[in-house]
């Protein structure tokens, strides 16, 4: 069999390139292409270090895609090893995507896998950060399919990276407090409580950590004497909503009616990470939904309304400085030019969600009557969401305590 380095040399091309493929807080994906011989090692290493250090917001794990490399010298492994050492000093990892061709064979000949993390595909590299499979992109998404899939995988990765230490902490607390047999038992309890009370596991884990513990593990209730407050009145609908999904639907319907629009969405604030998550929408294309879901609302009116805790009106996203370049491209392609975003504020003043409506025509703004209705939605909607979040969280914690206490009492040793 021919030597891997020889095979690469025969396939080599003049020149090389380094480009950013994708970047989000905590993850940077870079791609190298062309011929990487000894003459370019110094320049390559300098560029890699500069790209990794370019923006502190993206400090974190680095995935380096080598599948477009046509020639790779054996000494290049030293460049990657030094970069991996630099990243590991701050607790981060370098993952190489080498494909299954000559680049991979060369790294295999060099036993690079002993000191570097080498993967055949981008999917396996991203999954390698977690030891799990990534979530596939939503079906039927328009636009650049590769970029959309990557955004979906990175979104899933970020959520799991954020959730894993939080969940592990909560599991450890429950296991120690109630003498549960193992971590799986505590994890099962959290998952069941999450499903029963429609609260995300990471939110419940955060509540377990933040809440004052029960008086004793055998106490009848975690929160003795708690009074279940009735839901705040919602006056912009004829019938009071029975659950959060129904509530978010009526909020969106009322906002669309107030602004004479057929396109809009509702976000709620994630209590753990503080950002907005898309919950309900009307009239949005798959591409726009994928963008809001996987990229988020930074550089858009919903994110600005969250930060300012006041309504934000954009007359034309094509020219407004508030809108990021990526959002502007997606929204103008979808012919969504004007937008308003109204925050839903709790009695404490905290933002619990944002309702947004959109129009195809630039320059559209709500009427005075519409603004009055939007203000009422923001005020009453914020109070209802705050009430529901507290209710469901405390109910889920009581569920955890009751079932963990019962499990504890069923053990022969009572421990």
């Amino acid at each position: 069999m021919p030597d891997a380095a020889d095979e690469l040399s025969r396939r080599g091309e003049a020149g090389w390139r380094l480009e950013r493929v994708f970047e989000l807080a905590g993850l940077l994906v870079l791609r190298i292409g062309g011929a990487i011989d000894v003459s370019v090692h110094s320049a390559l290493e300098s560029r890699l270090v500069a790209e990794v250090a370019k923006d502190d917001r993206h400090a974190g794990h680095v995935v380096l895609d080598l599948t477009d490399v046509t020639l790779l010298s054996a000494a290049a492994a030293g460049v990657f090893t030094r970069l991996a050492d630099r990243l590991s000093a701050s607790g981060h990892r370098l993952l190489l995507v080498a494909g299954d061709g000559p680049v991979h064979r060369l790294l295999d000949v060099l036993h690079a896998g002993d000191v570097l993390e080498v993967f055949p595909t981008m999917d396996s590299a991203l999954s390698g950060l977690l030891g799990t499979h990534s979530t596939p992109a939503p079906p039927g998404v328009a636009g650049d399919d590769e970029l959309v899939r990557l955004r979906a995988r990175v979104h899933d990765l970020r959520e799991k990276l954020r959730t894993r230490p939080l969940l592990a902490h909560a599991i450890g607390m429950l296991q120690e407090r109630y003498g549960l047999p193992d971590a799986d038992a505590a994890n099962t309890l959290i998952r069941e409580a999450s499903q029963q009370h429609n609260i995300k596991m990471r939110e419940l884990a955060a509540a377990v950590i933040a809440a004052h513990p029960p008086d004793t593990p055998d106490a009848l209730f975690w929160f003795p004497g708690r009074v279940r407050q009735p839901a705040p009145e919602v006056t912009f609908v004829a019938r009071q909503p029975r659950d959060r999904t129904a509530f978010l639907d009526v909020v969106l319907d009322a906002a669309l009616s107030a602004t004479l629009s057929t396109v809009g969405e509702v976000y709620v604030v994630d209590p753990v990470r503080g950002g907005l998550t898309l919950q309900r929408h009307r009239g949005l294309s798959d591409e726009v939904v994928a963008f809001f879901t996987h990229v988020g609302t930074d550089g858009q009116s919903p994110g600005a309304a969250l930060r300012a805790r006041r309504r934000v009106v954009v007359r034309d996203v094509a020219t407004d400085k508030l809108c990021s370049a990526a959002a502007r491209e997606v929204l103008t392609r979808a012919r969504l030019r004007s937008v308003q975003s109204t925050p839903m504020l709790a009695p404490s003043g905290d933002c619990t969600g944002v309702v947004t409506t959109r129009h195809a025509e630039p320059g559209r703004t709500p009427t005075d009557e519409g603004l009055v209705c939007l203000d009422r939605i923001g005020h009453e909607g914020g109070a209802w969401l705050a009430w529901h979040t507290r209710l469901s969280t405390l109910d889920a914690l009581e569920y955890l305590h009751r079932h963990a206490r019962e499990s504890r009492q069923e053990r022969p040793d009572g421990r």
Side-chain angles (χ1 to χ4, degrees):
M1 186 181 80
D3 179 77
D6 290 342
E7 183 178 351
L8 274 175
S9 296
R10 287 195 299 270
R11 293 163 53 88
E13 299 174 357
W16 64 282
R17 65 185 182 278
L18 173 65
E19 58 185 342
R20 288 193 169 208
V21 178
F22 199 79
E23 55 187 72
L24 285 171
L27 180 66
L28 173 62
V29 180
L30 300 171
R31 178 184 294 137
I32 298 177
I36 308 299
D37 58 23
V38 176
S39 67
V40 303
H41 285 179
S42 179
L44 172 64
E45 187 163 5
S46 296
R47 281 284 308 281
L48 283 171
V49 171
E51 289 295 329
V52 170
K54 180 178 290 185
D55 191 340
D56 290 340
R57 292 178 304 168
H58 304 298
H61 306 299
V62 175
V63 178
L64 192 56
D65 187 353
L66 305 175
T67 54
D68 287 346
V69 170
T70 55
L71 182 148
L72 185 69
S73 69
V79 174
F80 303 143
T81 301
R82 287 189 292 275
L83 180 62
D85 290 343
R86 176 185 291 267
L87 289 167
S88 66
S90 57
H92 299 119
R93 297 162 61 186
L94 174 67
L95 295 84
L96 304 181
V97 179
D100 57 1
V103 170
H104 180 273
R105 289 196 290 275
L106 173 62
L107 293 175
D108 189 50
V109 168
L110 297 173
H111 299 286
D114 294 343
V115 292
L116 293 167
E117 297 185 76
V118 183
F119 297 85
T121 65
M122 182 64 69
D123 275 337
S124 61
L126 293 175
S127 298
L129 282 171
L130 296 168
T132 60
H133 294 293
S134 301
T135 299
V141 175
D144 186 333
D145 290 340
E146 180 183 1
L147 182 57
V148 169
R149 283 195 296 270
L150 185 56
R151 282 173 174 162
R153 290 195 295 270
V154 170
H155 177 269
D156 181 60
L157 175 66
R158 290 177 67 192
E159 291 303 308
K160 290 179 179 178
L161 285 173
R162 183 182 294 111
T163 300
R164 175 170 284 186
L166 194 69
L167 187 58
H169 188 182
I171 286 172
M173 290 179 65
L174 292 177
Q175 189 178 356
E176 180 179 0
R177 179 181 300 165
Y178 298 101
L180 299 174
D182 50 41
D184 285 343
N187 185 65
T188 298
L189 276 178
I190 295 176
R191 184 175 63 252
E192 291 175 349
S194 167
Q195 294 170 347
Q196 286 287 328
H197 296 279
N198 195 27
I199 178 174
K200 292 182 179 180
M201 288 185 67
R202 69 168 181 270
E203 296 174 13
L204 183 53
V208 168
I209 296 168
H212 191 278
D215 292 338
T216 69
D218 293 317
L220 190 59
F221 297 104
W222 189 326
F223 306 99
R226 176 168 71 104
V227 177
R228 296 171 64 87
Q229 299 294 330
E233 185 180 11
V234 179
T235 63
F236 53 84
V237 293
R239 180 178 299 178
Q240 298 302 300
R242 300 177 60 181
D243 55 40
R244 195 178 78 156
T245 299
F247 170 75
L248 295 177
D249 279 331
V250 299
V251 163
L252 182 52
D253 289 340
L256 292 173
S257 177
T259 57
L260 304 178
S261 174
T262 59
V263 182
E265 67 267 17
V266 179
Y267 305 86
V268 298
V269 175
D270 188 310
V272 176
R273 62 183 178 87
L276 295 174
T277 58
L278 179 63
Q279 297 292 314
R280 315 295 291 173
H281 58 86
R282 304 269 198 283
L284 297 179
S285 68
D286 289 340
E287 182 186 18
V288 175
V289 171
F291 184 85
F292 291 160
T293 301
H294 304 310
V295 177
T297 60
D298 286 343
Q300 301 174 57
S301 60
L306 167 65
R307 292 189 297 273
R309 291 187 294 181
R310 61 175 176 80
R311 182 181 301 109
V312 172
V313 178
V314 175
R315 296 177 61 85
D316 190 351
V317 299
T319 58
D320 195 276
K321 294 180 179 180
L322 173 69
C323 203
S324 68
R328 183 180 300 114
E329 179 181 353
V330 170
L331 293 173
T332 53
R333 187 161 53 241
R335 298 181 180 178
L336 299 174
R337 298 288 292 273
S338 55
V339 55
Q340 73 77 31
S341 294
T342 297
M344 293 182 281
L345 302 179
S348 64
D350 293 333
C351 184
T352 60
V354 174
V355 58
T356 292
T357 55
R358 304 176 184 274
H359 287 91
E361 306 89 354
R364 287 286 295 271
T365 59
T367 63
D368 290 344
E369 182 180 359
L371 291 174
V372 170
C373 186
L374 287 172
D375 286 341
R376 185 167 53 170
I377 293 171
H379 176 72
E380 296 178 2
W384 195 98
L385 276 175
W387 164 82
H388 184 270
T389 298
R390 176 176 173 79
L391 178 71
S392 59
T393 300
L394 294 181
D395 283 351
L397 291 175
E398 284 289 9
Y399 179 99
L400 274 177
H401 175 69
R402 182 173 70 254
H403 286 80
R405 176 172 57 85
E406 292 171 355
S407 174
R408 170 187 174 86
Q409 293 173 348
E410 288 171 0
R411 294 186 60 187
D413 56 7
R415 296 175 59 188

